[in-house]
Amino acid sequence: MKKRILSLVSAALLTGAGAPPAPNPTDDPYIWLEDWTGPRAMQWVEAENEATVAAFQNDPRYAGYYRDALAIASAKDRIAMPMLIHGRIYNFWRDADHPQGIWRYTSEADYATDAPTWTTVLDLDALSKAEGRKWVWKGASILDPDEKLALVNLSDGGEDAVSLREFDLETGAFVKGGFDIPTSKQNEGWLDADTILLARDWGEGTMTKSGYPFVVKTLKRGEPLAAAQEIYRGEASDQVGTFPQILSDGSGNRAAFLYRGVTFFGNETYLVTAQGLKKLPLPAKSNLQGMVDGQVLIQTSEAWESGGVTVPTGSLAAVPLQALQSGETLKPHILFAPNARQSIDGVAATKGHVILAINDNVRGRVMVLTPKSNAAADGWASKPVSLPDNATISIASATEKSDKAYLAVAGFLAPTTLWAMDAADPTPRQVKAMPARFDATGLAVEQFEATSTDGTKIPYFIVHRKDMKKDGSTPTIMTAYGGFEIPMTPSYAAITGKLWLERGNSFVLANIRGGGEFGPAWHEAGLKTKRQIIYDDFAAVAQDIFARKLSSPEKFGIYGGSNGGLLMGVEFNQHPDLWNGVVIQVPLLDMIRYEQIAAGASWVDEYGSVSVPAEKAFLETISPYANIRKGVDYPAPYIWTTTKDDRVGPQHARKFAARLKEYGIPYFFYEDTAGGHSGDADIEQGARLQAMQMVYFSQRLEGK
């Protein structure tokens, strides 16, 4: 399926080719910091890093924070999250002995024990040492139905660009003479045992302006890339690119599809057949989510009318694969339609059922959907699954080879638990529980609502001590995301709990618009020139907290990453009086030139484009880089990014810091040289970034 840019897609390296016109570089004195790995830019980074490392790592609290964060990240009693493959339980695992990670397996029976015996099939630390690279795990594509071969995705240092290598799960070795695809932003799917569908950089004129492949070819085992046969070509002007997806079910049905991402949220879907490609009459804002008993599952983000049926926005529907193949009029059957406070959070197909995870007023629910004897005519049955309340529930693993599945449950104060379930008889049983990582004694979780500038009620959660004084004296940190229809839901943030909550401080999660907490409408309320409402929502939550005297501006800090980093930059500019600490992580900040940087051109659907006058005018009003003002009493922000981020790019953070320096505004800047957009090169990097961030908040909100 088409993969969301902010999660799994392979993004672009620094490029401006074909992007809309931007302001004259002479108007931007820091354009040179956009030179991704240029020597001058990297010298600047080195000097900035030296000052920030000294400010944070010399703080007496840093060593303890780092030690605790690393211990949590590398603890060997974490839950080994399962992958159901070939009747085994696979898991990718990192700890102090394996900082980059190992891929390993055990039997289903052994997995259910307290101390499973694991067999390692791939050791990334050993591979990196042998090859002189820092290989980072980016997943694997498994060949069905036998599930004995995989295409392993490996990233050098954490970039979205990956190399593909064929791996034999039976022998635990790379296949000699097998598929070995060099590094690119690429996506793949097994067409058959000797053929893959491959979208990648095939050379000049095969990548969109945002750096995604738009040409898909078939590649045979043993053939060089030059021998691959083109089957589809999108357009260089597409905002995203074209990607393959393979669907199969437990009844033996199998089909290959292509997604053409014309825009970020709007795609064309094609069925791959022996006679060629067939464009499918599906909504532009829809995605295929699996297949059960020949019924293809389709999740929509817009209303869909077909065959006399109206599928509401944000629903899950099914149509027969046979109808897609024959070209007959589709008559979708609605499996789930949300109300105004619900949204779909996850869909998984098993051999004979569908597991559906939803958010209901930002609380997790799960149901099992089962096709009746004639699903196309008789529909589907629905059965709720009984699981803990007031938590986030996610589908950890499922497979179309059986009805077995695993569900993960977590809350702010409830460590993650893993539940096994047979979808044919959905009575889950807890099989794993992560030990508590921080002392939650005396802590409470409350959900409140703030009123935004247009009167809309914005929910938020606050975790605090039950005996907290309501006098505004409690140090508090708040986060949110607010974009791309991505929800933020309760989770067990062990490091935040250990390093922040244990000391009597508070944590807030704001469910602002732009995200997916309440479905597509909640997201679309803040698209493009309507985006100011997202920023108003965030400020309204802070003001509500202050009105309740749960904290105060002097004791209040905020943080967010990627699109959430943009949110932080805007709030830094628009409401400097509301916060005393602002952490801006791997951010977008120059919204006038964002289309020129890394994969920025792919996000025009979300932010708008400077090529459209009205959208340019709005972007000029919110762009954090463009709206820093001399003489304003800003809180000194902490801006961090990574050199290996080939998705958003470190350029935004660099230029923002440079402008602050020019204006004499205090700040901290740090750029880690590895880790990609997620800062995930190894567990030490994650612990370091967490510890430095917490030192910053401690200095700003608790005092020296």
Side-chain angles (χ1 to χ4, degrees), residues 479-492:
T479 192
Y481 188 74
F484 293 90
E485 204 179 327
I486 295 174
M488 294 280 280
T489 58
S491 63
Y492 189 71

Side-chain angles (χ1 to χ4, degrees), residues 143 149 166 179 190-196 219-222:
L143 172 63
L149 294 175
E166 187 175 1
F179 292 107
W190 288 96
L191 193 59
D192 58 46
D194 295 308
T195 314
I196 60 173
L219 181 67
K220 296 286 187 181
R221 180 184 303 280

